[in-house]
Amino acid sequence: MNELHIQIISRELSLKPQHVKAVAALLDEGATVPFISRYRKEATGTMDEVGVAGVRDRLVELAELDKRREAILSSLLERDLLTDDLKQAIAQAKDKARLEDIYLPHRPKRRTRATMAKERGLEPLANLLFSQKGVNPKCEAERFVNPDKDVPDVDSALAGARDIIAENISESPKARAAMRALFVKRGRFVSKVAKGKEDTGATYRDWFDWDEPLARIPGHRALAMFRGENEKLLKLSLRPLEEEATGLMRRSILKGDGTDSREVGLALDDCYKRLLGPSMENEVRAEVKKRADAEAIGVFAANLRELLLAAPLGQKRVLALDPGFRTGAKLTVLDAQGALKEYTTIFPTGSKRQQSEASETLRTLCSQYAVEAIAIGNGTAGRETETFVRELNLSIPAVLVNEAGASIYSASEIARREFPDLDLTVRGSASIGRRLMDPLAELVKIDPKSIGVGQYQHDVDQTDLKKSLDDVVERCVNSVGVDVNTASRELLASVSGLGPVLAENIVAYRDEHGPFTSRRELLKVKRLGPKAFEQAAGFLRVNGKEVLDGSAVHPERYALVKQMAKDAGCSVADLITDQTARERVTIDKYISEEVGLPTLRDIMDELTKPGRDPRAEFSAFSFTEGVNDIKDLHEGMKLPGIVTNVTKFGAFVDIGVHRDGLVHISQLADKFVRDPSEVVAAGREVEVTVIGVDEKRGRINLSMKNNRGA
């Protein structure tokens, strides 16, 4: 454990050093973020999952910085370039930019104009001119004219000297730091349409002539323009005004107005245009991209979390429909555990005869299987199918389900394993039904990027995106908890301490030996040892003889709970069912070196409602009848809708017309909104007003002003 890293993180994140140190130690021992935040609150100062993950990520960054530091020291040592001053400067570098600035002059490089000038013996002339002692450049340059060294005249000698000066300045840590600060503070994000791309680049028309401060550009706008540049439709510049940059260099380097200073001035201009300007622009681009990526990934992660934690219908018998006009609606019937009982195809939007047959089929299957809810995919023909079902008056709730990603699941290895003999469309229908029953359990089977709640997900750093979304899935799964006897491999794989291999082994054990009867039985699973058990047990639920196995109380605290029950003169079961029994427990009495008030309060909360599901209660949602297409809309209509995606510039809302409408950030509330996530969240029911319809472009503008989220 690196004590310096602990101090840095403590200072940066405003955390106590002992808490950061505890998180670092637990991570080193193999503990997961959910386990640390849920079961080691005393050690971490009740740090939540976001805080623990922040410490984890910063530890990784600092370790990578140290790794780069060591590589640089090794390189310098091998080439006999490492001086005491250089070693000290490298050791004190606090970030990668500073570290690379120090190393740049000593980095092995290809032959440049400056290195070739040095080979021609012009470095002494460059040093003399740069000292700006008032010498006559042409007179001094005459001494370096040597045709044998490819210096045929005074002008070529001076040009070579200027090349050396330009490169030396561009590699100066001090000059780079000053220029970097100027770029960050005064840089402009300028976008122009590429020559001849006015028509083909119409999508990016808003940015054909754009100019705004680099420091203030929102991430989503930067990503949009970066995409336009990648498609060769826009030309971008991320620099301050040239006169500001060269002025800064002249003020800090030029010592007068002599002829030698003028030579240095020419070198400065060349340095900025050819070397330092492009280098700084590349750095700034990378930083703006990193910042924009972080913003987009954060929005994606927040949307994904809301979707994963959407209210579940629960274990109900469901009839699911994956609608379609030409091919009909694929129908599946699922039992309360999500097992497929029957499937067929109906044509609720076909001819009268087909509609009659569809009606009869639906009535028969709903009666035969005592169906408790009907799930309808919200894609093509979704609203029409929903209308058809509602008009049957089956007295069964019919719910439109977001089917984003269902087709990806249908063609996946997971779907082939679950339904090996079924057509892709049948698999999709079953997935829609299961998604209604338990969104979390079904959505973990799909790559989060396919769920459709992100912006620019293909433009951001894919490694960072995957890491962030994996964290979200893990947090959601563990916050809800998992029934070890019904969970899929994919759901189990996201449980703290397990992963794909142990998840597969749990399912194999379950298939061979039947349902688990206790948490301790998990230790019989192949390769599931004490450490994995410690990390996972509290998040797995088993309905057996031990009542605490169905709760979030960790097995390491069972003895403590039993002591509480004994002291209260009752059983553990009584503590769960009898509030008066719980009131007899004075938790302060059980504080120890290992267990503090945070854990004791968690235990009492869990005894009050064992295995509680943090998700909201399910309620059926209905779109406005008769509004099924963009043609049905007109300005002023007030409609119920569901938020499908939240971005930094607003929220997209499904109002049941096959195209989401946009509520711009300026239309989210009657007050100023800095961040849309303050007002709305993915999956939230809202009421909106139509304020604009563009049928030709398929755009719908909505407002939530004077409306309230449902």
Side-chain angles (χ1 to χ4, degrees), residues 76-97:
L76 293 170
L77 188 62
E78 286 177 7
R79 293 179 287 126
D80 199 25
L81 297 174
L82 187 60
T83 65
D84 289 341
D85 288 345
L86 194 53
K87 185 176 182 179
Q88 182 178 6
I90 290 170
Q92 293 175 347
K94 295 181 179 180
D95 55 53
K96 191 172 184 294

Side-chain angles (χ1 to χ4, degrees), residues 211-344:
D211 183 345
E212 74 175 300
L214 198 64
R216 295 208 300 266
I217 186 166
H220 63 84
R221 190 147 62 232
L223 288 174
M225 285 188 268
F226 281 141
R227 180 186 287 180
E229 183 183 48
N230 289 336
E231 294 175 5
K232 303 187 185 309
L233 300 173
L234 298 176
K235 293 286 187 180
L236 304 184
S237 170
L238 285 73
R239 297 191 183 194
L241 296 175
E242 186 170 322
E243 54 267 30
E244 288 186 333
T246 55
L248 172 69
M249 297 172 70
R250 287 175 176 275
R251 288 192 300 275
S252 61
I253 294 174
L254 294 187
K255 298 178 180 179
D257 193 31
T259 53
D260 53 355
S261 292
R262 287 199 287 273
E263 288 292 327
V264 175
L266 292 174
L268 287 176
D269 292 342
D270 175 55
C271 170
Y272 180 73
K273 291 178 181 178
R274 183 170 58 88
L275 301 171
L276 193 52
S279 176
M280 286 296 107
E281 182 170 16
N282 287 338
E283 269 196 30
V284 166
R285 276 174 171 269
E287 187 57 36
V288 170
K289 177 66 163 56
K290 182 179 179 182
R291 189 179 71 207
D293 281 3
E295 178 185 296
I297 290 171
V299 170
F300 197 156
N303 288 339
L304 178 63
R305 181 184 183 279
E306 294 295 332
L307 199 60
L308 291 175
L309 295 181
L313 174 67
Q315 294 189 334
K316 306 285 186 181
R317 295 176 295 278
V318 171
L319 185 149
L321 292 166
D322 186 0
F325 287 118
R326 184 178 59 83
T327 57
K330 305 302 178 183
L331 181 155
T332 54
V333 180
L334 308 172
D335 67 16
Q337 285 70 46
L340 181 65
K341 307 304 293 182
E342 189 163 337
Y343 64 92
T344 187

Side-chain angles (χ1 to χ4, degrees), residues 105 127 208 215 253 265 290 371 406 466 491 515 565 582 688:
N127 292 339
F208 278 6
I253 294 174
K290 182 179 179 182
V371 168
K466 184 178 187 307
L491 196 57
R582 291 193 298 274
V688 296

Side-chain angles (χ1 to χ4, degrees), residues 262-429:
R262 287 199 287 273
E263 288 292 327
V264 175
L266 292 174
L268 287 176
D269 292 342
D270 175 55
C271 170
Y272 180 73
K273 291 178 181 178
R274 183 170 58 88
L275 301 171
L276 193 52
S279 176
M280 286 296 107
E281 182 170 16
N282 287 338
E283 269 196 30
V284 166
R285 276 174 171 269
E287 187 57 36
V288 170
K289 177 66 163 56
K290 182 179 179 182
R291 189 179 71 207
D293 281 3
E295 178 185 296
I297 290 171
V299 170
F300 197 156
N303 288 339
L304 178 63
R305 181 184 183 279
E306 294 295 332
L307 199 60
L308 291 175
L309 295 181
L313 174 67
Q315 294 189 334
K316 306 285 186 181
R317 295 176 295 278
V318 171
L319 185 149
L321 292 166
D322 186 0
F325 287 118
R326 184 178 59 83
T327 57
K330 305 302 178 183
L331 181 155
T332 54
V333 180
L334 308 172
D335 67 16
Q337 285 70 46
L340 181 65
K341 307 304 293 182
E342 189 163 337
Y343 64 92
T344 187
T345 301
I346 61 174
F347 292 84
T349 59
S351 65
K352 288 187 177 181
R353 179 181 61 80
Q354 289 175 320
Q355 289 184 26
S356 177
E357 291 173 351
S359 173
E360 184 61 30
T361 300
L362 279 171
R363 292 183 187 279
T364 299
L365 291 176
C366 286
S367 175
Q368 179 180 344
Y369 291 99
V371 168
E372 297 171 272
I374 298 175
I376 303 166
N378 71 339
T380 303
R383 286 304 311 279
E384 292 78 5
T385 301
E386 178 199 26
T387 299
F388 174 83
V389 171
R390 291 189 186 281
E391 288 177 350
L392 295 179
N393 296 317
L394 297 171
S395 300
I396 301 171
V399 183
L400 273 176
V401 176
N402 188 336
E403 62 179 40
S407 60
I408 301 295
Y409 161 79
S410 301
S412 69
E413 178 60 35
I414 298 169
R416 287 194 293 272
R417 185 177 65 237
E418 291 186 328
F419 304 110
D421 303 320
L422 296 182
D423 179 78
L424 271 68
T425 56
V426 178
R427 296 172 186 166
S429 175

Side-chain angles (χ1 to χ4, degrees), residues 422-440:
L422 296 182
D423 179 78
L424 271 68
T425 56
V426 178
R427 296 172 186 166
S429 175
S431 180
I432 289 169
R434 288 176 170 182
R435 197 178 294 195
L436 176 63
M437 297 166 70
D438 191 336
L440 177 61

Side-chain angles (χ1 to χ4, degrees), residues 513-527:
H513 300 282
F516 288 88
T517 58
S518 71
R519 279 174 168 165
R520 301 300 303 179
E521 191 180 353
L522 286 161
L523 289 167
K524 296 180 181 180
V525 172
K526 181 180 178 182
R527 297 179 63 180

